[in-house]
């Protein structure tokens, strides 16, 4: 029988004190609260970050401990859709600073920020640069399933994916199916506009609101999602993430 993995939200302080004898790294799940079209709930990114964090912490037992999830992120591009809550990049960095400062007092000096929202990535680059020297710690960050891109390229039909698409819905069907409104799955309702000139891979990049790109808030084709695809993406990513962490801690 596997021992209980170290999830801070489920532990007493004496249990944490005992765990800290072997813990080398804290995993901080980072999500967002934003629109995900008509077929995914707005807590999607936060829940997926936490679920991936749980599974990664299990794989890294007894050397990893999972912190509470940061359930909002940098989402200004989604603000034209009702319900989205966006934090300023400086706010996200301030939250990370306070969490890391607190955990360092308990002897943890390595941190992995496990991010489920693409809009947070630029902020995490700044956070790692700024906080590593300021707090004298080692900070790593990773997008939850980005390391399984080869699986995505093989299994997904849409050329453009990444938000409430067959990739993200498939991951949710495997990790947290309650996030998905299975009777409301839709493909993207793309719109013409300048956004096509600002996507990665183009000479220019820049800000645009998501409703400039898609009328229903989705990209890709969620009707082609499946739990099977989600399982292959998630398990491949977890295997690679666990190996990568073990190589640096």
């Amino acid at each position: 029988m596997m021992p209980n993995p170290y999830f801070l939200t489920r532990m007493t302080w004496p249990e944490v004190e005992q765990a800290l004898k072997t813990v080398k790294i804290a995993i901080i799940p980072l999500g967002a609260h934003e629109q995900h079209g008509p077929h995914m709930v707005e807590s999607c990114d936060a829940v997926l970050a936490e679920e991936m964090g749980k599974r990664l912490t299990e794989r890294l037992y007894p050397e990893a401990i999972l912190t509470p999830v940061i359930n909002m992120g940098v989402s200004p591009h989604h603000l034209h859709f009702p319900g989205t809550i966006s934090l300023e990049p400086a706010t996200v960095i301030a939250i990370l600073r306070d969490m890391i400062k607190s955990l360092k007092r308990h002897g943890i000096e390595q941190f992995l920020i496990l991010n489920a929202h693409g809009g947070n990535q630029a902020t995490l680059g700044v956070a790692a640069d700024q906080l590593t020297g300021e707090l004298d710690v080692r900070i790593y960050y990773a997008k939850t399933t980005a390391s399984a891109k080869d699986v995505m390229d093989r299994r997904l039909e849409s050329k453009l994916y990444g938000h409430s698409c067959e990739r993200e819905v498939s991951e949710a069907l495997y990790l947290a199916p309650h996030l998905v409104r299975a009777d409301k799955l839709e493909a993207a309702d793309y719109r013409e506009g300048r956004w096509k000139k600002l996507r990665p891979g183009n000479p220019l990049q820049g800000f645009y609101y998501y409703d400039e790109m898609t009328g229903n808030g989705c990209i890709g084709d969620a009707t082609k999602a499946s739990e099977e695809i989600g399982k292959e993406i998630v398990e491949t990513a977890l295997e690679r993430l666990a190996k990568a962490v073990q190589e640096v801690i």
Side-chain angles (χ1 to χ4, degrees), residues 80 124 151:
H80 288 173
L124 291 182
V151 178

Side-chain angles (χ1 to χ4, degrees), residues 43-80:
S43 63
C44 168
D45 288 343
V47 173
L48 293 180
E50 186 171 32
E51 290 302 318
M52 286 290 290
K54 289 176 181 176
R55 286 159 175 77
L56 184 58
T57 302
E58 289 172 352
R59 286 175 180 247
L60 294 171
Y61 178 89
E63 295 181 316
I65 193 164
L66 185 70
T67 76
V69 63
I70 303 172
N71 61 1
M72 291 176 283
V74 182
S75 304
H77 46 303
H78 291 290
L79 280 171
H80 288 173

Side-chain angles (χ1 to χ4, degrees), residues 66-242:
L66 185 70
T67 76
V69 63
I70 303 172
N71 61 1
M72 291 176 283
V74 182
S75 304
H77 46 303
H78 291 290
L79 280 171
H80 288 173
F81 289 91
T84 296
I85 299 172
S86 182
L87 301 183
E88 293 291 334
T91 304
V92 174
I93 294 173
I95 293 169
L96 288 169
R97 176 186 289 108
D98 287 350
M99 291 179 72
I100 291 168
K101 282 176 65 177
S102 297
L103 292 168
K104 187 183 179 185
R105 288 179 65 93
H106 308 308
I108 301 174
E109 297 186 346
Q110 297 188 82
F111 300 86
L112 169 62
I113 306 166
L114 189 59
N115 174 38
H117 171 52
N120 292 331
Q121 284 293 102
T123 298
L124 291 182
V126 176
D129 289 348
Q130 185 173 334
L131 300 180
T132 295
E134 178 184 326
L135 303 179
D136 190 24
V137 293
R138 291 162 65 186
I139 297 174
Y140 313 102
Y141 60 98
K143 189 77 164 51
T144 48
T145 58
S147 60
K149 188 176 184 304
D150 57 323
V151 178
M152 300 175 201
D153 290 343
R154 176 166 46 83
R155 297 298 304 267
L156 305 180
E157 296 181 29
S158 299
K159 292 182 180 180
L160 179 58
Y161 59 82
H163 188 76
S164 207
C165 55
E166 57 261 53
R167 190 270 300 167
E168 193 167 36
V169 172
S170 293
E171 292 171 9
L173 289 173
Y174 178 59
L175 289 169
H178 65 280
L179 298 173
V180 180
R181 302 282 193 266
D183 60 337
K184 298 184 184 298
L185 295 176
E186 292 184 8
D189 175 21
Y190 289 122
R191 294 173 166 173
E192 292 298 320
R194 68 189 181 101
W195 66 270
K196 291 183 179 180
K197 302 294 185 181
L198 301 175
R199 294 289 299 175
N202 286 302
L204 294 179
Q205 300 204 7
F207 180 85
Y208 55 87
Y209 287 104
Y210 235 67
D211 60 330
E212 295 180 58
M213 176 171 61
T214 167
N216 62 0
C218 311
I219 60 177
D221 186 354
T223 67
K224 296 178 179 177
S226 73
E227 181 181 355
E228 177 194 1
I229 293 172
K231 180 178 181 180
E232 185 175 2
I233 292 171
V234 165
E235 293 300 328
T236 300
L238 285 171
E239 180 180 350
R240 292 171 180 174
L241 280 169

